[in-house]
Amino acid sequence: MSGQGTILVTGGAGYVGSHTVVELLNNNYSVISLDNLVNCYAETENHKPESLKRVEKITGKTVTFYNVDITNKEALNKIFKLHKIDCVIHFAALKAVGESVQIPLTYYQNNIAGSSTLFQVMQNHNVRKLVFSSSATVYGIPQFLPITEEHPTGQGCTNPYGKTKYFVEEILKDVCISDPEWRVILLRYFNPVGAHKSGLIGEDPAGIPNNLMPYISQVAVGRREKVNVFGADYDTPDGTGVRDYIHITDLAIGHVQALVKINEPTFKGWDVYNLGTGRGYSVLEVINAFSKASGKPIKYEIVARREGDVAASYADATKAKNELNWTTVRDINDMCEDTWKWQSENPHGFQKG
Amino acid sequence: MSGQGTILVTGGAGYVGSHTVVELLNNNYSVISLDNLVNCYAETENHKPESLKRVEKITGKTVTFYNVDITNKEALNKIFKLHKIDCVIHFAALKAVGESVQIPLTYYQNNIAGSSTLFQVMQNHNVRKLVFSSSATVYGIPQFLPITEEHPTGQGCTNPYGKTKYFVEEILKDVCISDPEWRVILLRYFNPVGAHKSGLIGEDPAGIPNNLMPYISQVAVGRREKVNVFGADYDTPDGTGVRDYIHITDLAIGHVQALVKINEPTFKGWDVYNLGTGRGYSVLEVINAFSKASGKPIKYEIVARREGDVAASYADATKAKNELNWTTVRDINDMCEDTWKWQSENPHGFQKG
């Protein structure tokens, strides 16, 4: 049964998208998923992406899939005509920080113009409930720790990727002001890592990973030589940068809880929640935990700091706990073990190697 | 002769656009103008807008015109293929603050998606010089006076219109970082008023004017009964709000000076200039000056403050003076006299009636 309603998941074949689809299906939602396949593997453009096939294997349920880009208004219109959608969870976005500095206009077109096209189509079809995949990057350089949802946003977002997240948040706030029928929840992710415990789905970055955990796991599996640790002279317990890593399954469940919240009769306008554990781990702590989980030595080298990096960043996660009835239950060892299971069983990601 | 090069002016039929085209033609630039005609009058969609016909009358020169929307990539591509464009001056935008609160997605689509489409087309045709029509609204509530270009931006922009100006500024900064061949000047206007001294072109707002000067002039000409003065209890000399009004011809000449600057061999990346007089006038001072200029009594009524209004806002205009070799020469009396000439000779704007 799918008594919970029908959710359109944009970017549903991606890392956060696919794990969220699992939890939606587990909670008896019907899922319509769209993706433009630029960041995920499918056998051909007419095939369902491999990540969603695996989601179906995990859950024993079916995901409807469309190969559609969110900038394509006509294609979006067709989907909204074909299906009675109750709520949209909007992940679709380009997400490589470094690439966004190189080709900012592509990022602004995809992430801003695409999002505003999606919102227009929703409005035209009287679908006005949305959960938006935002990021702690909107906080810029933390002015205080832990970071609460009241922390200023948009100041010192140093790259176009981060700005697109901030701009879309602002656009959604304005949409809610313009029409009180809209209900929007912004979810600001800290550092999603890990994989589904089945080892069937996980993060499958194209090219050199931007983030620490996939990089470590590629070193552990022998695809890369060593981890570069960018700075060991920060004002942190061991000198390396501290971040709030969150297990992807905990993060995915946060979206299910956001759906419960958004459907409460008293919910109005927009609200925002940090999704993090509230606890930071240093780069060296993560490397050690991963080494333990994988049983592999992880070679690393301390190199210069990266421009724009901060010493520490972690969430105050109490608002989500109090209002979404949600808290993380998977610790750093779960994150490393599940990443390792995914990586070791799928050394080349979704593509057969 | 048009030895100065060819300038593409987007939104060229509008208020600031048309006055700028006059000054460009006066300075021997060739002008290609495009406009989607949503905010200006043309006899039919195939006719040149009335404002540009008048520009041709004033200057004795021809303006090439295209009825094109900046969100239409194909149409933009055609123009860039047909003409060798040296620089773009980008005015095209929806600009009604109140309307932007009602229909924010339309504003974001037109102003952000449209601008980023324009920039992509420029990039594809190796045109990388741009003067952008920004606004002092990006400063939000002034933290200090006079407002210098170093004043923080994007904080407390209270309406979607203002945010679109701020977002496009940020997009352009990122474009300059991504490709050092780009040269961009952001011009932040204070309060443009007045009209060309010929009385042939001027501001022709649709519906009820949002701004003080066109409102006053419609009262003077008998189209409206009285001016509402929003608050007389501000901390200003006479209690009414103080703003930095700038004559539209001074403002237009600022764009010509920006072109000179952007073509200097040493100019790199982006820079930003306030265009204002550096001096504020109160609402009552403007009403009195207009009454004197028009010889008409101006009925007004003090009403409650408007949400979001500030007591005073005026520019520090020294950077433009020093670096653009530009300063305003038209005072409040010129502003009122020229507005009155335009309004009294064209009581219904460009539309005959």
Side-chain angles (χ1 to χ4, degrees), chain B residues 73-316:
Chain B
K73 194 167 191 167
E74 288 321 300
L76 289 177
N77 266 323
K78 275 189 196 162
I79 294 172
F80 279 83
K81 266 185 208 157
L82 218 54
H83 301 278
K84 204 207 141 295
I85 290 160
D86 295 295
C87 180
V88 175
I89 305 184
H90 177 36
F91 296 108
L94 295 175
K95 60 173 184 175
V97 170
E99 185 185 60
S100 80
V101 177
Q102 304 299 318
I103 49 168
L105 290 173
T106 306
Y107 273 68
Y108 288 114
Q109 271 297 324
N110 276 269
N111 296 6
I112 309 258
S115 294
S116 89
T117 300
L118 171 68
F119 306 154
Q120 282 185 315
V121 172
M122 288 176 65
Q123 175 108 5
N124 292 342
H125 290 83
N126 292 311
V127 179
R128 293 195 180 82
K129 283 190 274 191
L130 181 95
V131 176
F132 176 58
S133 163
S134 189
S135 166
T137 191
V138 301
Y139 295 123
I141 296 163
Q143 296 174 14
F144 54 81
L145 291 172
I147 301 173
T148 65
E149 288 84 354
E150 281 71 42
H151 188 287
T153 57
Q155 298 169 27
C157 286
T158 52
N159 60 74
Y161 164 75
K163 285 187 200 169
T164 66
K165 290 293 176 194
Y166 167 65
F167 291 173
V168 173
E169 283 198 0
E170 294 298 303
I171 289 170
L172 284 167
K173 292 175 189 175
D174 288 329
V175 167
C176 288
I177 291 169
S178 76
D179 180 349
E181 291 295 307
W182 275 83
R183 298 174 175 217
V184 171
I185 289 182
L186 315 172
L187 297 178
R188 294 185 183 143
Y189 310 157
F190 280 69
N191 295 65
V193 296
H196 191 263
K197 68 178 187 311
S198 64
L200 285 170
I201 58 173
E203 190 168 8
D204 185 19
I208 301 168
N210 290 299
N211 299 326
L212 179 65
M213 186 80 85
Y215 206 104
I216 293 175
S217 81
Q218 291 192 4
V219 171
V221 85
R223 274 174 72 180
R224 305 197 183 271
E225 192 209 341
K226 60 177 169 30
V227 180
N228 288 317
V229 177
F230 298 101
D233 55 351
Y234 283 109
D235 183 18
T236 58
D238 65 20
T240 63
V242 166
R243 296 291 181 276
D244 185 338
Y245 298 95
I246 172 171
H247 193 290
I248 188 72
T249 298
D250 283 330
L251 187 80
I253 294 169
H255 293 73
V256 177
Q257 292 307 100
L259 284 185
V260 174
K261 182 77 186 172
I262 216 169
N263 284 309
E264 286 178 2
T266 53
F267 188 90
K268 274 191 181 19
W270 63 272
D271 212 337
V272 53
Y273 297 95
N274 285 338
L275 294 186
T277 64
R279 184 215 196 284
Y281 286 92
S282 75
V283 175
L284 294 183
E285 285 176 307
V286 176
I287 290 175
N288 287 334
F290 203 95
S291 185
K292 194 180 130 207
S294 63
K296 304 272 181 186
I298 312 284
K299 202 171 155 187
Y300 68 87
E301 187 182 358
I302 313 270
V303 296
R305 291 183 182 194
R306 274 190 309 201
E307 205 186 313
D309 274 359
V310 295
S313 171
Y314 47 92
D316 183 325

Side-chain angles (χ1 to χ4, degrees), chain A residues 171-246:
Chain A
I171 290 170
L172 284 167
K173 293 175 188 174
D174 288 329
V175 167
C176 288
I177 291 169
S178 76
D179 179 350
E181 292 295 306
W182 275 85
R183 296 172 176 220
V184 172
I185 289 183
L186 315 172
L187 297 177
R188 295 185 183 142
Y189 310 157
F190 279 69
N191 295 65
V193 296
H196 191 263
K197 69 177 186 311
S198 64
L200 285 170
I201 58 173
E203 190 169 10
D204 184 20
I208 301 169
N210 290 298
N211 299 326
L212 179 65
M213 186 79 84
Y215 206 104
I216 292 175
S217 80
Q218 291 192 4
V219 171
V221 85
R223 275 175 71 181
R224 305 199 182 269
E225 191 209 342
K226 60 175 171 20
V227 179
N228 288 317
V229 177
F230 298 101
D233 55 352
Y234 283 109
D235 183 18
T236 58
D238 65 19
T240 63
V242 166
R243 296 294 180 274
D244 186 338
Y245 298 96
I246 173 172

